[in-house]
């Protein structure tokens, strides 16, 4: 162990003080040995005539040994003064030389007094004992060992001179030969001893550095070190460790490492690693007995004897942050409901649970997009939060309400729930979500469509259960929204057909399976056709005629709607350009088309190629098409208007912001939706809306076209309030592209007017609406 206080010494001085420490540790026993040797040998071999010599020699020996012993008490092993250390080394060497010389003189005297072989034998044993014991004593301090050996060699030489040359010479040679051998051995030992000391000093220096660093680490870092014995009990316990554990150091020494932590999987895993003598890093465990939930991270490495050293740290903040992130990763940040990630995890676990009934609901808020786009995203977010709160309030224990994204929600029902309980929940949800929402000073009404899928037994993939719930939701929307539907085999068949149509749709364009039909629009004032609305038809090779409402949604989903829309625009404009009369051709413009970057160029090319006057082309756009990216869509309309085409607002009055669109863009025509025309004779509110629309259009210098006219009374009433034009089955059904459009339109209109005139009698005259007579109408050239 490195004496304290020597860390500032140089290497040589540190080596010297270590040599002195080892040397001094043997001095007292060696001094006692020499004194006992003197007490045995001197009385036995000393002669009376030499009493004066021995009277002087014995006190000197006592003095020398006394000085040596005194040095052992006075020497300060902790001194950092190099001069003090070197002075004591020289002093010890001098005492060694003095002791060696003193005994050498005594040996020469005693050798002269020896008379018998027994006395010579005693002297030989004495000489060998003193030399060997002294060398063992002085081996750690080379100068002292060399001084002692030289003194012994000189004594041996002096003794040899007492004999004749024939004996003296061999004795001297042997003394110096073995003396030199001993000195070489002393040198080798000193070298090895020095190297070992250097290694120890370097190791101690490293340990001191490590201790210093560890001390500073303990004082400043948030971690603390620990050490256990092979039984798992704590050994070294710092103050910070005790404070963190909330126990005293004595209590911790009686505590095992495992006892610090709460029972659970983490503790069992730690016990297994300790039992297997396995190193581990950053193993996080909850601490037992703390007032608040606390987690520690433990890293440790086992030692050869089964003990363990390591480091601990309080990671409660990090663990709680990770838990918050985990909750955020699995919960919707807006509504607080489970999100898609958590839903997928729970659904996979649910369908994998054998013998448990599994029910899944998909929920969509009807008309949410209208609210979100017309009232703003903040109001839309508030609506989602309020709807999620209502859903959660209706869910039972074990149900998992989920927000999948946007206005799409799901409920994974409790494993033990029955189909009847799921239906009751769906009824409650529909009623609850239909109640008005009061948000930001506004009353908002929406509804919910719900699809339900069950699986009672047998294996089922999560994707399949989701697909079934999605099909049921689609069916609910198709049947009018605001209701729920359960999945059944018919939905599967319809979906299969729908997907088959989607595949066929990809070939329809290439195989020229599309065609156009045209529905005439007539002027109420003149009775003459003013234009035709182009209607798309799909002549399917197996299913026959497929109407747009069956495949337009598929075309949009599959990304084919833009290409189909380009075909319609090219074909309709090309056909209209061949008509003899300059009738207007009306094209329905979908939301996808208006957002398409190339549609303006497609329309420009079609007009230029056909040679039709741009004013004969009218584009009908619904409010739905304007809802998303309103500013960008209005800019697109201005680009289209720059071509010279007409723009009509279709299905006017069915949305939230019709008047706002009339303000933001100067439409040429307003089309009154058929839902108002259909009930106008029975409902005064429909009459009021139509009358207000016509008056508004007249004030804005816009034309009005009423859609869905099916009776003569509807026709008469609309003409009477000043509606510009109308279309519907009463006027003419859609006409196939191959027919003579103008002639058929004329004949259909004439027949309808004739029937109307006959049914009205003398009180109603066709001419009172400004319509031409049948004969005049027949004068049109087909």
């Amino acid at each position: 162990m490195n004496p304290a206080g020597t860390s500032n010494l140089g290497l040589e001085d540190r080596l010297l003080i270590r040599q002195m420490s080892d040397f001094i540790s043997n001095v007292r026993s060696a001094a006692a040995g020499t004194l006992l040797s003197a007490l045995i040998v001197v009385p036995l071999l000393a002669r009376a005539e030499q009493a004066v010599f021995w009277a002087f020699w014995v006190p000197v020996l006592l003095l020398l040994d006394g000085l040596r012993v005194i040095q052992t008490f006075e020497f300060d092993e902790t001194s950092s003064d190099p001069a003090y250390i070197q002075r004591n080394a020289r002093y010890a060497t001098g005492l060694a030389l003095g002791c060696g010389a003193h005994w050498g003189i005594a040996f020469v005297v005693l050798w002269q007094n020896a008379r018998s072989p027994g006395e010579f034998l005693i002297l030989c044993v004495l000489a060998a004992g003193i030399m060997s014991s002294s060398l063992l004593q002085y081996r750690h301090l080379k100068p002292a060992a060399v001084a002692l050996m030289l003194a012994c060699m000189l004594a041996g030489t002096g003794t040899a001179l007492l004999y004749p040359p024939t004996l003296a010479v061999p004795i001297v040679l042997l003394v110096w030969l073995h003396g030199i051998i001993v000195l070489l051995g002393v040198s080798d030992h000193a070298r090895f001893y020095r190297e070992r000391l250097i290694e120890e000093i370097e190791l101690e220096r490293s340990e001191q550095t490590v201790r210093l660093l560890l001390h500073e680490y303990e004082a400043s870092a948030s971690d603390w070190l620990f050490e256990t014995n092979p039984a798992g009990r704590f050994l070294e316990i710092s103050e910070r460790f005790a404070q963190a554990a909330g126990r005293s150091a004595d209590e911790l020494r009686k505590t095992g490492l495992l006892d610090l932590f709460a029972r659970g999987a983490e503790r069992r895993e730690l016990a297994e690693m300790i039992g297997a003598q396995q190193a581990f890093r950053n193993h996080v465990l909850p601490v037992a007995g703390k007032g608040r939930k606390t987690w520690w991270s433990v890293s440790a490495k086992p030692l050869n004897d089964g003990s363990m050293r390591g480091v601990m740290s309080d990671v409660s903040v990090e663990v709680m942050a990770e838990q918050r992130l985990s909750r955020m990763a699995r919960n919707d940040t807006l509504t607080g409901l489970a999100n898609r990630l958590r839903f997928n995890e729970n659904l996979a676990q649910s369908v994998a649970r054998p013998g448990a009934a599994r029910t899944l609901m998909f929920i969509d808020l009807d008309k949410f997009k209208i609210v979100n786009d017309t009232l703003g995203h903040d109001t839309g977010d508030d609506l989602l939060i309020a709807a999620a709160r209502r859903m959660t309030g209706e869910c039972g224990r074990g149900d998992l309400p989920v927000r999948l994204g946007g206005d799409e929600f799901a409920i994974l029902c409790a494993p033990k729930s029955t189909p009847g309980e799921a239906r009751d929940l769906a009824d409650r949800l529909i009623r609850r979500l239909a109640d008005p929402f009061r948000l930001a000073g506004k009353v908002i009404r929406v509804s919910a469509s719900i699809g339900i899928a069950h699986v009672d037994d047998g294996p089922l993939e999560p994707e399949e259960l989701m697909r079934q719930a999605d099909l049921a939701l689609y069916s609910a929307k198709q049947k009018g929204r605001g209701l729920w539907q359960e999945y059944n085999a018919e939905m599967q068949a319809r979906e299969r057909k729908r997907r088959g149509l989607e595949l066929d749709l990809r070939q329809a364009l290439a195989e020229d399976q599309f065609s156009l039909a045209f529905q005439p629009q007539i002027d109420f004032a003149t009775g003459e056709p003013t234009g035709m609305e182009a209607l798309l038809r799909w002549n399917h090779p197996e299913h026959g005629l497929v109407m747009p409402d069956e495949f337009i949604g598929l075309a949009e989903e599959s990304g084919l709607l833009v290409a189909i829309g380009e075909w319609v625009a090219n074909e309709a404009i090309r056909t209209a350009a061949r008509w003899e009369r300059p009738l207007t051709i009306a094209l329905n413009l979908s939301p996808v088309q208006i957002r398409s970057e190339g549609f303006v160029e497609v329309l420009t090319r079609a007009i230029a190629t056909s040679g039709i006057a741009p004013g004969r082309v009218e584009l009908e756009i619904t409010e739905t098409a304007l809802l998303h990216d309103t500013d960008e869509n209005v800019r697109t309309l201005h680009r289209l208007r720059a071509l010279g085409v007409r723009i009509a607002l279709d299905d006017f009055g069915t949305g939230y912001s019709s008047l706002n669109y009339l303000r933001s863009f100067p439409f040429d025509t307003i089309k009154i939706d058929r839902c108002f025309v259909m009930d106008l004779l029975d409902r005064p509110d429909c009459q009021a809306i139509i009358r207000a629309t016509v008056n508004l259009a007249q004030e804005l210098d816009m034309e009005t076209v009423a859609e869905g006219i099916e009776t003569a009374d509807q026709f008469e009433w609309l003409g009477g309030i000043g509606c510009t034009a109308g279309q519907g089955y009463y006027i003419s059904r859609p006409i196939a592209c191959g027919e003579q459009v103008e002639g058929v339109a004329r004949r259909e209109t004439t027949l309808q007017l004739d029937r109307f005139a006959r049914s009205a009698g003398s009180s109603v005259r066709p001419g009172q609406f400004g319509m031409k007579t049948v004969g005049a109408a027949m004068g049109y050239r087909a």
Side-chain angles (χ1 to χ4, degrees), residues 120-284:
F120 282 111
L121 179 61
I122 291 173
L123 290 175
C124 289
V125 171
L126 174 64
I130 290 177
M131 289 182 62
S132 60
S133 61
S134 298
L135 284 175
L136 287 175
Q137 174 194 353
Y138 294 133
R139 71 188 187 278
H140 299 307
L141 193 63
K142 182 180 177 181
V146 170
L148 175 66
M149 194 62 207
L150 288 174
C152 293
M153 292 166 65
L154 291 173
T157 302
T159 303
L161 296 177
L162 299 175
Y163 291 92
T166 55
L167 291 177
V169 172
I171 291 173
V172 171
L173 292 176
L174 289 174
V175 167
W176 283 91
L177 173 64
H178 290 287
I180 291 172
I181 292 173
V182 170
L183 288 176
L184 291 175
V186 168
S187 298
D188 289 340
H189 172 80
R191 186 178 70 256
F192 293 139
Y193 176 65
R194 176 185 173 88
E195 292 174 355
R196 182 174 64 82
L197 284 182
I198 291 175
E199 290 178 358
E200 291 180 1
I201 290 172
E202 292 298 329
L203 179 61
E204 289 171 358
R205 182 182 298 172
S206 299
E207 290 178 351
Q208 286 180 340
T209 302
V210 170
R211 286 195 193 96
L212 179 62
L213 293 175
L214 290 178
H215 178 74
E216 294 179 352
Y217 178 78
E218 283 266 354
S220 61
S222 59
D223 301 352
W224 49 90
L225 305 174
F226 72 91
E227 183 176 358
T228 65
N229 61 18
R233 304 291 181 182
F234 288 108
L235 296 177
E236 297 293 334
I237 299 170
S238 66
E239 182 179 351
R240 291 188 64 257
F241 182 18
Q243 291 176 352
R247 308 181 190 185
S248 67
D250 291 337
E251 288 177 322
L252 285 174
R253 289 189 184 93
K254 302 174 184 177
T255 302
L257 175 61
L258 292 174
D259 297 331
L260 284 178
F261 304 105
R263 296 182 182 275
E266 298 89 350
R267 176 171 156 173
R268 288 194 298 272
E269 186 178 353
L270 177 62
E272 292 174 359
M273 291 187 292
I274 293 175
Q277 286 291 287
Q278 176 183 346
F280 54 88
R281 291 180 59 82
N282 301 326
H283 187 66
V284 178

Side-chain angles (χ1 to χ4, degrees), residues 20 23-24 27-28 31 62-76 84 88 91-92 95:
M20 284 294 299
F23 165 75
I24 286 175
V27 164
R28 295 173 193 174
L62 289 173
L63 176 63
L64 291 172
D65 283 342
L67 292 174
R68 294 165 65 194
V69 172
I70 291 172
Q71 186 182 28
T72 65
F73 287 103
E74 292 183 347
F75 181 68
D76 183 9
Y84 170 82
N88 274 272
Y91 183 65
L95 288 176

Side-chain angles (χ1 to χ4, degrees), residues 727-738:
Q727 69 182 79
Y729 283 3
Y730 177 74
I731 298 170
S732 174
R733 290 181 176 273
I735 304 165
C737 183

Side-chain angles (χ1 to χ4, degrees), residues 590-611:
S590 71
V592 176
Q593 285 176 285
I594 197 172
R595 291 195 296 270
S596 173
E597 296 182 357
F599 180 73
V600 176
E601 287 71 19
V602 169
L603 191 66
T604 302
R605 260 194 323 270
I607 292 174
T609 302
S610 65

